[in-house]
Amino acid sequence: MSANNPPNGDLPAYSTQKPTYKLNRNTPAKPSIHNASSLADVRANLAALHVRESAITARLDSLISSQADLSRELGRLDLLRANLGSQVIATRSISNGMLSSAAETAGRLSNRVKELDLEKDRVQQTLSVVEQVAELKACVHGVVGSMGAPQDWEAAAGYIARASKVPEPIIQGGFAASIVPSVEVPDAPWITLENSKESLCGLFLREFEKAAKDGDGAKITRFFKLFPLIGRGDVGLDVYGRYVCQGVAGTARATLKEVPGSAGRQDSFFYANALTKLFEHIAQIVESHGGLVERHYGDGKMVRVIEKLQMEADVQGGIILDSWSDDRNVNRRLTDVKSYPFSFLVQSYLPQQKTLGGTPRMSSPAVGGGTNPRASEDEGVDMKEVDGLLNEISVMLGRWSLYTKFLAGKCKSPDAPENAALPIPSLLSDSNLQRKVSAKLVEPYNVMSTFFFRRSVEKAFQLDESPPGLSLNMSKPIEANAPFIISAVDDVMYIVNAVIQRSVSTSQREAVSHVVTSSSRVLDSDFIKMMHQKMQEESYPRPVVQGGLPPEDKIVSFIVLINSLDVSNEYLTRIITTRLGTTADQPNGAAQPHPLAASFPFENDVAIVTSSLNSLLSTFTSKTSELLYDGLQVLFNQVIRQRLRIIMAEAFRDADYWRTEEELADIAQQNDEDEDDLLDRVPRRFEQGWDALMKPVARLMTPKTYNILLEITATHLSKQSLEKRIASYSGKTNAYGAIRMERDFNGIISTVAKGNYSVRELFNRVSQILMVANMEDDEWEELTEAGDDDGIDWVLTLEERRRARNLVRE
C-alpha cells in the first residue's frame, strides 16, 4: 500500500515532495515551509498547518463517535441471519415431507385425465366412422334399390350425392369393405358406387339427348339437374352446351334463310340484323339459364357453357360475315377505294395557269365542275354505297361490342370491385370470331372511313361557295348571316362530327383511334392545305399597282378565309368537348361519369380514345391558329398598314406643338374657328380615318379575329408610329404643346381601344412617356428620389424616362 493511500484511521505521512497541480497551472502554489524566506512566511505556513490539523482531528472524532452505532447494527444483522437460516431449514423439511406426495398425486390425476380424453376421442372417432359407414351402406343399398324396379333416378342420384359426402378413405377402408357388402350388393362400396355413377351417367345422357330431340324442356331440365349429383357435372355442362349450341345454330341458319334469294339480302341492314339476332339469342340463353346452372352446378360454372356458346358463335358469326363480305363485294370496293386518285385535290396543289378571265373553281375540268359529270371516277366509287357499308359495319361492330361487354360481365370474377374496368376474357380475345371481326369489319371500316372523309373534304371544296353580297362599303347592306365563312367549313365540320360519332358508336377502340388519327391527317394534309392554297393563290390581297391598295374582292375573300379558319377551330372544339363531356356548365363538385365509359368499358379504352380526340383537337387548332395569325399579319401589312400611314399623316397635318396658348387663340380667331375644335383637330381626324378603315373590316370579321387584328394594329401604331412621332418632337415643343400632345395621343388611344379596353395596355409606353414629359419639376424630383418605391408599374427604363423629360424645350 502506497503512502498516498494509507489504511483507514492512519494519518498520511508528511512528504517533502512538492505538490503538482495539473488542472490549473496558473493557480498560485500553496505556501510551503521549504519555500519560506522570511519570518512572516514561516508563521503563515504554521497557521496553515494548524488549520489542517484541526480539520483532520474533527474527521477522526466523527468516525470514532459513529463506531458504536455501526457495531450495534452489525450485531442485529448477525441475529437476523441466524433466524433466517432456521426458517430455511424448516421450509425445506415441509417441502420434502408434505408437498412431494401431493405433487405426485396431482401428476397421476393429470395423466389419468389425459388417458380418458384420448379414449373419449377414439370412441367419438369410432362412432363417427360407424355412422359414416352406416350412412354409406344405406346410400349403397338405396342406389341399388332405386335403380331397380322403381327406377327412381332422382332418388338414386340423391343417394350418390349423399355418399359423396363420406370421406374417400372411409369408403375404401377395410371396415367399410367388410360391413357394407351384402347378399344383394356383394361388391365393395366404391366399386358399387362407381358402377352406379357410370350407369346413371349413360342413362342420363340418353334421356337428355332424347328429350332434346323431342323438344321436351321439362325432361331436359330434369336430367340436366341430375348430372352434378352423380359427380358428372362436366359431362352435364358439355351435353347442355351442345344442346344450346344446336339451338343457336338452327336459329342462325333460319335467320339467313328467312329472305330467299339475293334481292332480299341487299337490304342495307340484313346481315347486321342477322348478327344481332345471333348475339341476342346467345345473351338470352346466358341470362335465362345462368341461374339454373349456377344453382345446381356451382358458382362460375356457367363460364364453361359460355365457352361452348362462343365456339358456336365463332362458326355462325363467321358464316354471316363471310356471306356479307361476298354479297357486298367488299374486297372489290376496297380495291376501288384504295385506287381512287383524288384528282381535284392533287390538281389544286399544282401551280395554277393564269388565264385571261380567271376560270372559277366550280368549272374546273379536274373534277365535278360545270358540265363534267366525273363519269370516270364516280362510277368506280359510289359515295352512297360506301356510306351505306360504313353504316352497316358500324352497326355490326356496335352489336359485337355490346355482346363482348355482356359476356365479359358474366365472366367477371365475383371478387372484383363493382366499378372496376372490365378485363376482356380469353374466350373472346382468342376467339375466331374476334379475328374475323378484325379482318372483315374493322380493317375495311378503317380504310373506307378514311376514304369517305377525304372524299367528302374534296367534294366540299369542289362545291365550295363564299357568302354573297359582302362589301367593304358601309352603305351597302349585307344579306348573309354572320359569321361569313366559306361553305366548305360547314360541310367539312359536319362530316368530321358524323365520322367521329359513327366511329364512337362502334365502341371499338382500334376503329376510333384509327379514324380519329386518319381524320387528323386528312384535315392537315387536305383541309388546312387547301385553305392555305386559297389564301396564298386565289385570295391573296396583292395591290394592282405598286403602293396601292388590293382589290376589294380580294380583301373580302381573304377575310372570309380568315373567318373560316377561326370558325373551324370553334366548331371542332365544340365537337370534341361535347364528345368528351368537358363543358363548363357542370355543377361544381359533381362527380360526373365519363360520357365514353358506357361505350368503352374495357381497360384503358376510355383513356386511349380520349387521348386520340384531344390529340386531334390540339394538332388541328395549333396549325390553323398558326395559319390564322399569318393571315392576319398579311391582312395588316397589305391593307391596314398602308391606310394607317395615310390616316396618321392626315391626322397630324399642321400639328404645331411649339405654339403657345395665345398663338393658338389668335389662329382660331383669324380662321373664325372655335378654339376647342382647333384643339381636337388631331384626334377627330384620326377617328374619322380610323372608323373609315376599321369598321368595314370589323363588320366582316369574327369578333376573335378582329380583336387579334386590332392588337396587331395597336402594337404597330404604338411602337412604329406614336413613339417615333414623340421622338421627332423631342426638343421642339413647349410645355403647352406637350399637354396638347398628351391630350391628342390619349384621344387616339381611346379611339383604337373603343370596345376593347385591354388594347390600352399596348400603349403603356406612349402614355408613360407623355406623363413623364408633362410632370412638374417637384413631382419629377420626388419620383427620382423614391426610385423603385414610387408605386408606379413602369414599362420605361430609367434612361427612357430621363429622355422623356427632354421632350419639352426649355
Side-chain angles (χ1 to χ4, degrees), residues 595-668:
L596 297 177
S599 300
F600 299 91
F602 296 110
E603 296 174 331
N604 300 324
D605 281 6
V606 172
I608 293 174
V609 172
T610 302
S611 176
S612 299
L613 292 174
N614 285 329
S615 177
L616 165 65
L617 178 60
S618 61
T619 302
F620 180 79
T621 53
S622 64
K623 293 184 178 181
T624 52
S625 298
E626 181 181 357
L627 181 58
L628 171 66
Y629 190 80
D630 291 343
L632 290 172
Q633 286 285 359
V634 170
L635 183 63
F636 170 75
N637 292 329
Q638 297 296 112
V639 180
I640 306 298
R641 190 171 185 174
Q642 301 290 336
R643 292 281 303 276
L644 189 62
R645 186 181 298 112
I646 300 173
I647 292 172
M648 292 297 293
E650 175 63 22
F652 286 93
R653 177 172 53 86
D654 301 332
D656 44 7
Y657 296 113
W658 50 270
R659 294 185 182 276
T660 63
E661 186 175 3
E662 292 76 10
E663 291 175 340
L664 288 176
D666 292 340
I667 294 175

Side-chain angles (χ1 to χ4, degrees), residues 479-520:
E479 298 178 357
N481 296 323
F484 307 114
I485 59 175
I486 60 175
S487 62
V489 171
D490 287 329
D491 297 340
V492 170
M493 290 302 146
Y494 174 80
I495 296 299
V496 168
N497 187 36
V499 168
I500 293 178
Q501 182 177 358
R502 183 159 55 191
S503 66
V504 171
S505 69
T506 65
S507 297
Q508 293 291 314
R509 181 187 66 191
E510 295 80 5
V512 177
S513 298
H514 185 276
V515 168
V516 171
T517 303
S518 62
S519 299
S520 177

Side-chain angles (χ1 to χ4, degrees), residues 234-245:
D234 293 344
V235 177
L237 292 174
D238 290 340
V239 67
Y240 177 74
R242 290 197 299 270
Y243 162 69
V244 294
C245 287

Side-chain angles (χ1 to χ4, degrees), residues 334 437-448 514:
L334 286 176
V437 165
S438 298
K440 297 287 186 179
L441 296 180
V442 176
E443 292 181 6
Y445 181 84
N446 292 339
V447 174
M448 285 191 284
H514 185 276

Side-chain angles (χ1 to χ4, degrees), residues 336-355:
D336 295 340
V337 163
K338 292 178 181 179
S339 60
Y340 186 81
F342 296 101
S343 302
F344 175 81
L345 293 176
V346 173
Q347 294 186 12
S348 297
Y349 303 147
L350 298 177
Q352 297 183 6
Q353 297 179 356
K354 296 183 179 180
T355 59

Side-chain angles (χ1 to χ4, degrees), residues 173-193:
F175 182 69
S178 60
I179 297 299
V180 175
S182 62
V183 177
E184 293 83 3
V185 186
D187 295 330
W190 64 86
I191 297 177
T192 303
L193 290 175

